[in-house]
Amino acid sequence: MKRLYATRPTAAYLAGATAARTGDEMSGPALLLAGYAITGSAAEASALLAGITIAAAVGGPPVGALLDRAVRPGRLLAVALALYATGLVTVLAVLGRMPLPFVVLVAVTTGLLGPALSGGWTAQLPRVAPSGTLPRANALDAMTYGVAGLTGPALAGVAAQLFGPPTGLAVSVALIGLALPVAWGLPAVPGSAAATEGSVTADLLAGARHILRSRPLARVTLTSVVSCTGQGMLIVCVPLLGERVLGGAAHGTMLLSCTAVSALATNAVLARFPPRCTPDTLVWAGALLQAAALALAATGRPFLVLAAVLLAGVGEGPQLTALFAVRHREAPERLRGQIFTTGASLKITGFAVGAGLAGPLTAWSLPGALLTAAGVELLAVLAFFTLVPRLFLLEVPVEVLLEVLLEVPVEERRLFLLEEEVE
């Protein structure tokens, strides 16, 4: 593994990240299928999935803080992956044999390590990407999420159908296991960059303060969380869209596949032909495209629904890549892991809130739920611009203001100098 990192570090990283994230994306549906097959209760199965998801939202900041303090974060990441896989095996072993509260407790404990499979990996990317290649590596890293989101649930369904529901969970564990040696071989933190002084609590506070005080980081974090709330609403609406537009609720997964393929294709194009605008612009523009997509889906017309899910992918894929780019740019080395895992936790929370809101709304009206989700995406765009200093809106010439809002470099950086004077 050391030899592979020495010759093709980015390729080794991407292979490990893809395996871990595919296993993670597979674990949720597999856990749901296995829980239902073993207990015969949809409520108990959903309790397991809810437990592991909610815990992931809580576990991000401490996992990130520990990674930031480690001299060899790759080894700590490997341990986290091993414990996560062990937790999944334990859930499968005790499911149907032990009381449900105990099984849910195991799922919750396992889920605390979930952010290590997402943000924990991405935080290590600058250490393996050769100089000058980080933007392209970042785009490829974001594509691994698309690959995992597309193949993970499909693998869970195929494995359950061919070999029984528990098999899907076993394959998920195997994929996470494949990533262990790759994580273990990640490079050490150079010099004394690791945050080994002070307490973990102090590090957590420092990370939160940095997110709040860095205007670019704060606004893309807020925008992405609100946007992810809209994405959670769309997921709940997809089965009903499949039933009403394509003739079957199961066909809703086809719509999600279209979104994933569209996101992958768009990111592939942008990796080859980087856009001229900054990543900050792509974050809010992605939310705007998703708002338009949700409004199109609300029409209920088959052609427009297909166009809508494709457009959603065009917005969602580059938005994730751009979000990572801003985090890499704004996060100091000693807080990078925490900022990435905290961001992942907040997005999980937003997604869960969106899914929860969409349930009652779809019972009332599917078009109403989709239009509400579109409104949430517009709120994400608004959230981005609410963090632009108000003084800019009052004293800066219109043409310069437009340049800043679109994140186009301003001649002689006049506006940024003005901002520093205000602060």
Side-chain angles (χ1 to χ4, degrees):
M1 188 56 62
K2 288 184 178 180
R3 182 177 300 177
L4 182 58
Y5 267 116
T7 56
R8 304 190 66 183
T10 304
Y13 166 92
L14 292 172
T18 302
R21 288 165 182 164
T22 302
D24 185 33
E25 290 287 345
M26 188 177 181
S27 65
L31 187 63
L32 198 61
L33 291 171
Y36 181 71
I38 293 173
T39 66
S41 169
E44 292 187 14
S46 63
L48 294 175
L49 183 59
I52 203 168
T53 303
I54 292 171
V58 175
V63 168
L66 292 173
L67 286 172
D68 287 331
R69 296 172 66 87
V71 176
R72 296 298 301 255
R75 295 186 178 181
L76 182 59
L77 181 60
V79 171
L81 295 177
L83 291 175
Y84 189 84
T86 302
L88 292 177
V89 171
T90 304
V91 169
L92 186 58
V94 301
L95 190 58
R97 298 181 176 88
M98 299 290 289
L100 179 64
F102 177 80
V103 184
V104 171
L105 178 62
V106 175
V108 169
T109 305
T110 302
L112 290 172
L113 298 169
L117 283 75
S118 52
W121 271 99
T122 302
Q124 313 308 316
L125 184 59
R127 299 192 183 104
V128 299
S131 178
T133 66
L134 182 58
R136 183 173 183 274
N138 183 57
L140 294 173
D141 182 44
M143 289 173 66
T144 67
Y145 285 88
V147 171
L150 182 63
T151 60
L155 282 174
V158 170
Q161 191 169 19
L162 294 179
F163 306 106
T167 308
L169 209 54
V171 175
S172 169
V173 169
L175 286 170
I176 296 172
L178 289 176
L180 285 177
V182 183
W184 188 269
L186 285 165
V189 175
S192 58
T196 55
E197 297 182 358
S199 66
V200 175
T201 302
D203 289 347
L204 288 171
L205 292 175
R209 281 197 300 267
H210 186 79
I211 293 174
L212 293 174
R213 290 179 178 177
S214 169
R215 183 175 293 115
L217 193 56
R219 63 186 182 181
V220 299
T221 299
L222 179 59
T223 301
S224 65
V225 170
V226 178
S227 181
C228 207
T229 303
Q231 294 167 13
M233 297 180 74
L234 174 62
I235 293 295
V236 174
C237 294
V238 158
L240 286 175
L241 273 176
E243 183 178 54
R244 298 185 185 182
V245 176
L246 302 177
H251 294 159
T253 57
M254 185 192 308
L255 297 176
L256 290 179
S257 297
C258 290
T259 300
V261 169
S262 176
L264 277 171
T266 306
N267 272 340
V269 171
L270 294 183
R272 179 68 179 85
F273 304 102
R276 296 185 62 183
C277 62
T278 65
D280 308 67
T281 298
L282 291 178
V283 172
W284 68 260
L288 189 61
L289 288 175
Q290 290 174 74
L294 287 160
L296 277 177
T299 63
R301 298 180 180 179
F303 177 77
L304 292 181
V305 168
L306 179 60
V309 294
L310 293 174
L311 182 60
V314 172
E316 186 178 330
Q319 184 188 54
L320 183 62
T321 303
L323 176 63
F324 289 167
V326 175
R327 286 179 184 166
H328 282 306
R329 187 190 70 203
E330 300 295 330
E333 177 69 24
R334 66 184 183 86
L335 297 174
R336 179 175 284 116
Q338 186 185 163
I339 286 171
F340 270 90
T341 53
T342 299
S345 294
L346 291 172
K347 288 186 67 179
I348 290 170
T349 302
F351 188 92
V353 169
L357 289 174
L361 285 173
T362 54
W364 164 65
S365 168
L366 177 59
L370 290 166
L371 289 175
T372 303
V376 171
E377 293 292 347
L378 290 177
L379 283 177
V381 178
L382 181 62
F384 183 94
F385 291 112
T386 55
L387 292 180
V388 174
R390 286 177 293 177
L391 185 61
F392 288 178
L393 303 177
L394 299 176
E395 298 186 6
V396 176
V398 173
E399 63 275 10
V400 180
L401 175 63
L402 290 175
E403 286 183 302
V404 171
L405 294 181
L406 295 175
E407 300 293 338
V408 176
V410 182
E411 184 181 357
E412 299 178 0
R413 313 294 288 180
R414 287 174 294 163
L415 202 54
F416 296 101
L417 290 176
L418 174 61
E419 179 184 347
E420 297 210 350
E421 290 176 4
V422 172
E423 294 180 345

